[in-house]
Structure formats: structure tokens, C-alpha cells
């Protein structure tokens, strides 16, 4: 599918209303949007708020293949119950949007060791995955420098070590910050790559910076990657929303070539 989606991220969320964001994303030529399940985008996370987001997506003919687990507490042992309650809302949003991927940022957890963080994550995931399987959804974990899953190697190790049916989100910004070779990284993630975040190497708009998108695209083509391509960057210039979409369409054509 390689659906091109926009993530209402830094510079977008909180600056524009939900309706304005949908307008901007549709006008820029995107096919989809990431839905972050947090108060910044879905207010009180009520049925009415979710209904409104769905009606806006339908109005603009936008799909939402990716849903963001907005409450970053899955690595916090003391908040397991709260995390699973949040998952119920996330799952409902994902069901309503007929999403493919629930994205989880593997956050650092204060005063907790890395192993305790990952144990808490694995425990909660083991309780979340059956419901995802029933609904044909994947959970994708995003690695990032300084987080419990610092890089793609630790991500793959977690997936293989736990034996959980869980996937990875590969963000080009995090890949770049790790100094990883894009082609090697993609092949290492072949069995567990859920979606891709497209960003400039400085977290600016995609196409800016020095990340090697051509080599990355070649790797994605070779492993037959077909998941969503989610544009995620710090938006400072509204015109960059459309430019980022155009760049990502060219990136997609390299994968499909």
C-alpha cells in the first residue's frame, strides 16, 4: 500500500484546530493522517470527539492506517493498569478508523532501570496483542537514542527475545542519529518492520538534511515493504506540509521502481 500520511506533530498539534489540520493535510495531497490518541488531537477522548475526527476524515477522503498510543506510559511499571485502560480507547479509535498499525513510542521511564522498563512493556504488550490480532492490527514500537530501545538492533533483539508478535517503527531521523547504514538496517528489520516515519535528518521537513533516502528506499524495495509512510517532522512553515508530501511521493516511487 505505502500510504502517505501526515502526522500532526510538533508545530502542527496545538497550533491548528483538528478541522484545520484535516484541511491542511487534504489540501497538501496526502492520502492519510496519523491519529494521535491524546488530548491535543482528540480532546477528552470521548465518543463525540472520535466521531468528529472520523467525519472529518470521511469529508476529506483521508484514511488513518496508523494510530498513535498517545499516553507514553507503557514502560512505567507502576502505571500498567492505566496503560491498559488507555489501550482500550486506542483500540476503539483504531477499530473505528480501520487502522493497520498502533504506534508506540518506547519512552524512558523515570527511576526505573532499562530492563524493568522493557519487562513492563513486554507484559502489557502480551495483554494487548491478542485484541490487535483479532482486529487485524499490528503494534509497532519506535526506537530512539536514549530510550529503552535505543536503536534498531535493540528493537530487533526485543522482538526476537520476547517472541511477541510485535513490530518496529523505523523513523529516518532516529536511524540517522544512530549513525546506522540504512540498507543494512532495513534488511535487519525485514521480518518485523511495521511502518516508516519520514523526516529530515535534523527533524526538519523530509528532503532537508543529509539522510540517504535513496539507499533506504532500495532496502525497502528489496524486502517488499508495503506499510504506511508517515511524514513526521517539526513543522515551521505551512507550505512545507505540501512539499513534504511531494518529497514522500518521490520517495515512494523509488521504493516501487
Amino acid at each position: 500500500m505505502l500510504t502517505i500520511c501526515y502526522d500532526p506533530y510538533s508545530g502542527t498539534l496545538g497550533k491548528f484546530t483538528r478541522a484545520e489540520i484535516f484541511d491542511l493535510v487534504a489540501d497538501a495531497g496526502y492520502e492519510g493522517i496519523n491519529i494521535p490518541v491524546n488530548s491535543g488531537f482528540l480532546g477528552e477522548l470521548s465518543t463525540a470527539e472520535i466521531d468528529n475526527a472520523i467525519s472529518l476524515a470521511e469529508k476529506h477522503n483521508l484514511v488513518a492506517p496508523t494510530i498513535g498510543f498517545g499516553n507514553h506510559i507503557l514502560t512505567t511499571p507502576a502505571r500498567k493498569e492505566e496503560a491498559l485502560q488507555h489501550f482500550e480507547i486506542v483500540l476503539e479509535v483504531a477499530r473505528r478508523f480501520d487502522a493497520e498499525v498502533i504506534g508506540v513510542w518506547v519512552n524512558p521511564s523515570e527511576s526505573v532501570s532499562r530492563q524493568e522498563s522493557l519487562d513492563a512493556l513486554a507484559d502489557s504488550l502480551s495483554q494487548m496483542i491478542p485484541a490487535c490480532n483479532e482486529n487485524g492490527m499490528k503494534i509497532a514500537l519506535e526506537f530512539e537514542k536514549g530510550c529503552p530501545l535505543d536503536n534498531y538492533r535493540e528493537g530487533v533483539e526485543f522482538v526476537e527475545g520476547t517472541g511477541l508478535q510485535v513490530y518496529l517503527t523505523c523513523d529516518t531521523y532516529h536511524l540517522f542519529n544512530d549513525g546506522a547504514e540504512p540498507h543494512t538496517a532495513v534488511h535487519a528489520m525485514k521480518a518485523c518492520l511495521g511502518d516508516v516515519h519520514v523526516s529530515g535528518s535534523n527533524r526538519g521537513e523530509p528532503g532537508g538534511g543529509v539522510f540517504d533516502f535513496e539507499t533506504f528506499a532500495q532496502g525497502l524495495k528489496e524486502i517488499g515493504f508495503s506499510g504506511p509512510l508517515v511524514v513526521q517532522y517539526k513543522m515551521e512553515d505551512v507550505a512545507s506540509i505540501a512539499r513534504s508530501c511531494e518529497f514522500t511521493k518521490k520517495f515512494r516511487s523509488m521504493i516501487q521502481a
Side-chain angles (χ1 to χ4, degrees), residues 156 167 184-194 219 222-225:
V156 171
Y167 298 81
T184 305
V186 168
H187 276 271
M189 289 182 276
K190 177 179 180 177
C192 57
L193 185 55
E222 287 167 5
I223 69 164
F225 175 74

Side-chain angles (χ1 to χ4, degrees), residues 26-183:
D27 290 349
Y30 288 86
E31 298 149 359
I33 184 169
N34 175 60
I35 305 290
V37 182
N38 58 30
S39 57
F41 194 73
L42 288 178
E44 296 171 1
L45 311 184
S46 65
T47 303
E49 299 265 18
I50 297 165
D51 287 346
N52 174 256
I54 285 167
S55 67
L56 287 168
E58 287 172 350
K59 172 188 169 188
H60 292 293
N61 199 27
L62 289 167
V63 294
T66 62
I67 306 293
F69 195 99
N71 202 349
H72 304 307
I73 55 173
L74 276 167
T75 59
T76 311
R79 298 179 74 178
K80 247 182 234 180
E81 197 177 323
E82 188 186 341
L84 291 170
Q85 286 169 350
H86 184 65
F87 171 66
E88 293 301 322
I89 300 169
V90 173
L91 183 66
E92 182 58 25
V93 173
R95 272 199 204 108
R96 297 282 308 276
F97 276 100
D98 197 21
E100 302 165 35
V101 176
I102 291 173
V104 170
W105 176 58
V106 183
N107 61 296
S109 191
E110 220 172 293
S111 308
V112 179
S113 72
R114 174 178 182 265
Q115 194 54 53
E116 286 172 308
S117 292
L118 293 179
D119 288 347
L121 175 65
D123 184 44
S124 292
L125 287 172
S126 69
Q127 297 177 65
M128 291 156 57
I129 288 167
C132 289
N133 286 344
E134 279 172 33
N135 290 278
M137 295 168 197
K138 299 174 177 176
I139 295 174
L141 308 175
E142 183 171 5
F143 54 86
E144 178 179 354
K145 301 308 292 175
C147 291
L149 296 180
D150 179 89
N151 52 64
Y152 78 85
R153 297 171 301 282
E154 290 187 359
V156 171
E157 187 185 337
F158 178 82
V159 174
E160 292 178 348
T162 59
L164 292 168
Q165 193 181 347
V166 67
Y167 298 81
L168 297 176
T169 293
C170 181
D171 187 310
T172 59
Y173 175 64
H174 301 323
L175 210 56
F176 177 78
N177 284 338
D178 181 49
E181 199 286 309
H183 187 264

Side-chain angles (χ1 to χ4, degrees), residues 208-221:
V210 293
F211 181 75
D212 185 353
F213 277 97
E214 285 187 25
T215 302
F216 187 50
Q218 184 61 34
L220 292 172
K221 178 183 177 178

